[in-house]
Structure formats: C-alpha cells, structure tokens
Amino acid sequence: MLSEFELIARYFADPAQSTGAVGSGVVLGPGDDCAVLAPSPGSQLAVSVDTSLVEVHFPAAAPAVAIGHRALAVALSDLAAMGARARWCVMAISLPEADDAWLAGFAEGFHALCRVCGVTLVGGDVTRGPLSITVTVHGEFPAGQALTRGGGKAGDVLVVTGALGGGRGGLEAWYAGARELDDPLLAAYLLPQPRLAAGEALRQLAHSAIDISDGLLVDLEHLCSAAGLGAELDVAGLPLSAGLVARLGEAGAHEAALCGGDDYELLVSLPAARLETARQRLAALDVPLTAIGRLRRAPGIAGVDAGLLRNGWRHFPEGAT
Amino acid sequence: MLSEFELIARYFADPAQSTGAVGSGVVLGPGDDCAVLAPSPGSQLAVSVDTSLVEVHFPAAAPAVAIGHRALAVALSDLAAMGARARWCVMAISLPEADDAWLAGFAEGFHALCRVCGVTLVGGDVTRGPLSITVTVHGEFPAGQALTRGGGKAGDVLVVTGALGGGRGGLEAWYAGARELDDPLLAAYLLPQPRLAAGEALRQLAHSAIDISDGLLVDLEHLCSAAGLGAELDVAGLPLSAGLVARLGEAGAHEAALCGGDDYELLVSLPAARLETARQRLAALDVPLTAIGRLRRAPGIAGVDAGLLRNGWRHFPEGAT
C-alpha cells in the first residue's frame, strides 16, 4: 500500500485547479497542517458535513467515478439548500486498499464535480479501513441572506426543482442489474446533480428551503416543523423522474417520489406572487420548477395516504448487500 | 437504534454552549442544512480534517470519554500548528450501534474539550457502521499571519513543546493492561492536549511549525523538506514524557520520542534571538519549551541513528487488535 503521504500527494491535488488562482480564495492548499482560506468580505460561511459509507449509501461495486462524484454531490446539496455559493471542501477517505485504477476513477469523479461547481478541494485525510468518504463543504452568501428551513409562511407555494423518485428508482435499477450510467434512473441515483445554481437563484425569492435527501415527505416535515406549519400536497402533480413509472408502476413511482430519498432536489417555499419569477430564473438555468402544494396553518400533511406518512427514509432494502 | 435525527438532537448540541452567544461567530448552529458562521473581519480561515478509526487510531475498548476527547484533539492540533485560534468544528460519526452510556461519555469528552479550547460544534452527520469519527476544525488568524511548515531558515533553533514519547508509551501501557486515565503515559496517548495557546503565542515569533502526529523524525523531515533545509538534532536533550524511561528503558524511550508518533506537541523553528521570549511566553501558559537542535543548509538529519531515520510512523503494532 502507498503511504498516506504518497496517496495524498497523488490524488488530492487536482492538476486542473490551481489553488493559488486569483478568486479561488485559497491562500494555502493541501500539504500543510491546515488549508488557509480567505473568506469574501461581507460574506457569511455555510458549512456542512456528509459521510458516504459503502453498502449504506452506495453499492461497493458502483463505478469509482460515481462514488467520487456522489460523495461530493450529497454534501454540496446542503449548500444549495442554503442558497450558498460553493467555495471549498475537505475530504476524509477510508480505504481498504490502495487500488490505482479505483483511486484514479474516484478522483476523476470528485474533481470533475469540483470544477463544475466552482469548488476547490483544499485538504484531506486518508485512513486504511472500510470504504467511507466524509466531505465537509464550505459555501458563502452575503451576510444575513442564508436561506433556512424555518422561514416558511402560511400560504407559501411549495415547489421542487427537477424530478423526484430517481434516487429510489435508480437503486431498484441497480439491484435489477442496470450498470450503465447513461440509464437516467441509475444516473439520478449514482450521479445526482447538486442544485447550487438553482439555490442561489432562489435565495432572494424564497422563504425557506431544504434539500430532498431523506424523501419528500420526511424533508417536508422538517420544513413544516421548523416553521410551525402544516402543508397540503398535490401528489398527482409531483414531477416524476424519467423512466420511473415504467420501472416501478404508477403507485410505486409515487411512493418513490414521496418516500424514496436520495433525490437531492430542492424543496422550497415562496410567496405565490414570486412563483413566475422563480420559474423564469430556473428556466434560464435549464432547471424545471414544479409547484406541488402549499404551506398552511393547520398541522400535518394533507393530501397523502396516511400509511406513506409513516414510511420515511430507508437505507438499502433489508438484507440487500 | 435511535433514528439519525434523534441521535443528532440528543448528543450533538452541547447544553453548556449557546451557539447564538455573542462572540461565538455562530449565526446558525446544528439543525438546518448547513451551519452559518460569521468569520471575523480581517481574518483568514484555517481548516483541517482528521479521521479517527477504531483499532487504527484508538483501541475499541478505550473509554468513550477519551475517544470523544481524542478525536477532536488530534484535529485541533493542526490548528495549533498553524498558530490559529480555534473557532468551530463539525463532526461525522459512524457507529455500529447507539449505546446511550457510550454516547453520553463520548459527547462529554468531545464537548469538554470544545469548551476548554473555545470551539463550538456547529454540525454533524451520523451513520451506522464501524466506529469512526471525522472532525473538521476551523480556526482563524489575522490575514497573512499563518504559521506554515515551509518558513524555516538555516540557523533557526528547533524547539518542541511539552514532552515526547508519551503517545507511544501510552499505547504500550494500554497493551500491558493499564486502564486508568490518571496514568501519565496513558493520558498522553488517550487524552492529548492540543497546543492551541502555545501555537498562538509562537505565531509571531516562529518561522515554521508542524504538530508531531507521525513522530518527531517524520514531522521534522516534513518541516525540513518544506524549507529545502536539513537539521541537526540533540537526541540526548529530547524532553521525554514522565514514566517513559521506566516503561521502555533508555533506548526504547528515545526511539518512542523520535519515531513513536501521536504526541501532538508542536515542533517549531525560530531565530535563536527569540528563543528566550518564546520560552517566557510559553512558561506563562505553563507549557515547557525545549531546544532540540537547529535547521541547517546541509540536507538530511544529523545526530540520529540511521536505522531510526527509516523507522517512521506506525499505526498499531502488527497483529495487535
């Protein structure tokens, strides 16, 4: 096995990113005891951490490029939900062995998403152990402008970006033997796209936001409880991922969209008067925006089968490996 | 098992710390998609991440309070080495099961060190899996004042804080059956004290610094190679941890001090003319400072047995469990 130092030197520096580049905010990149960053004057910092563990969050046999992409994407999704601009990340990886081809694929997936999202990897740690990746992401927004979970108002329209159910549908596709990343459902599951540009575009229009990592219903409950409100959903109008009905049937597709998790779309509440502006801004980013209900004073979530309300996020199906 | 959400709510908020407290810099603590932080105007940010994995970095049977303390301490030690003031951290923990007593002990150790060091835990992630803790720490210093590894000059005096060899000595003590945390060697290994105040005090006096996590020789090699210099060491004058010679003998104690790792003291280079000032500042903090050699133009490390130079950091002894 390569030493920790060799691994870090070889894979943690992205040759296509210059950490000293003007505008990167990176004063000192990987290689010292800490990275040194220059926050933008007048900004506040958004910080979030996410662990992706093999056989809990992704299959061991998933392509390395997807594992690298996904570990970063799920963390960046939290920045998107705050309306933050992504800036920097650090990554800790635990590896059972140092396989060159696997590491090259992992690094390719991770760094490619860094470049797309304008994020610089500024530090890391490598340990020998079961495959696990923990990414801490850092974003910025003008001071006082964080888009939180708790700002929703009764009467707000609830909207979601993109389409739902692809996370669950892709997981089912994987277990059914799908392996090609150009399968839209598998791509939705293994290569989620953090909605950073959409989050920034919605920041000044929206009252509240959360990313849909645990399933629409669970995350809507978080949004509601943070605001002390309830909601009514138009389940028939949920935007479903391409291919979802074909794979899971009508009822299964709706259950996946409501309870499946791993979609990494944004669930946002905003005043009805701003809906058209929001839609236009997201259309310019090529991101669909669909109204799916409203916040209301009455507690609970109306419009949803009561059984589904108790059926929240699950990791892998029981017994699957 | 408690749900992820319950665990987070119960153990990740420190009742003794108010995240909204004036001066904490915490605009929004745990519970939203991200924490929101207000960096100090005119400061730069130091960021580092460290993973502590069971049976690699600590024994599974170590007291939970020590595991919590140690996981944070090793990360904070990197801030100390940059001369940064510790501000915030996020923690991702993977747990095989949710044992209330264990979690309470872990949280007690983690939060107690937070309070001592002025750090606020602002976010986390909980996963079910092999025991592993990844802590990302954030510190600050006035812009441009980072204390790096690479600033050493030929002729600089090399100094270390505290005493060396305790990390290795404590590991040996653990395997010999020691279990009491008031054993000085075991405490050095399981409850290292990050040298944050010393790092800040030395920031404007020193040319370069690193923390001794991988062993004095390995870390000295990092300091030398970053500066393009060599060094000469006075091995006979190394400050040895209390009880080290009694446990390991004279030769074993020196080998532990040179190669053992896990000491989390600072190795610093500074001009000889500032040595006395540095010693006084650290004496006021009750931290010993010992001159152990010099940086020099000639490459390599003189004064050390050649066999030891090849004997770097090792995790647990081969086959130990």
Side-chain angles (χ1 to χ4, degrees), chain A residues 4-5 27-28 31-37 39 43-51 53 56-57 78-79 81-82 90 92 124-125 127-130 134 136 138 141 146 148-149 209-211 214 222 313, chain B residues 4-5 27-28 31-37 39 43-51 53 56-57 78-79 81-82 90 92 124-125 127-130 134 136 138 141 146 148-149 209-211 214 222 313:
Chain A
E4 181 183 24
F5 313 115
V27 180
L28 193 64
D32 213 300
D33 291 286
C34 296
V36 179
L37 307 174
S43 287
Q44 288 173 341
L45 206 58
V47 180
S48 184
V49 61
D50 275 284
T51 295
L53 183 61
V56 176
H57 299 97
D78 287 311
L79 294 183
M82 302 294 286
V90 297
D125 191 20
T127 310
R128 189 205 290 249
T134 297
T136 305
H138 301 79
F141 35 66
T148 66
R149 294 182 180 183
I210 190 170
D211 74 318
D214 298 335
H222 290 315
W313 172 71
Chain B
E4 180 183 26
F5 313 116
V27 180
L28 193 65
D32 212 299
D33 290 287
C34 296
V36 179
L37 308 174
S43 287
Q44 288 173 343
L45 206 59
V47 180
S48 184
V49 61
D50 276 283
T51 295
L53 184 61
V56 175
H57 299 96
D78 287 312
L79 293 183
M82 302 294 286
V90 296
D125 191 21
T127 309
R128 188 204 290 248
T134 297
T136 305
H138 301 79
F141 36 67
T148 65
R149 295 183 179 181
I210 190 171
D211 74 317
D214 297 336
H222 290 315
W313 172 71

Side-chain angles (χ1 to χ4, degrees), chain B residues 88-108:
Chain B
W88 311 291
C89 65
V90 296
M91 188 244 300
I93 185 167
S94 168
L95 286 167
E97 59 184 352
D99 178 274
D100 261 8
W102 191 93
L103 276 168
F106 177 87
E108 180 193 333

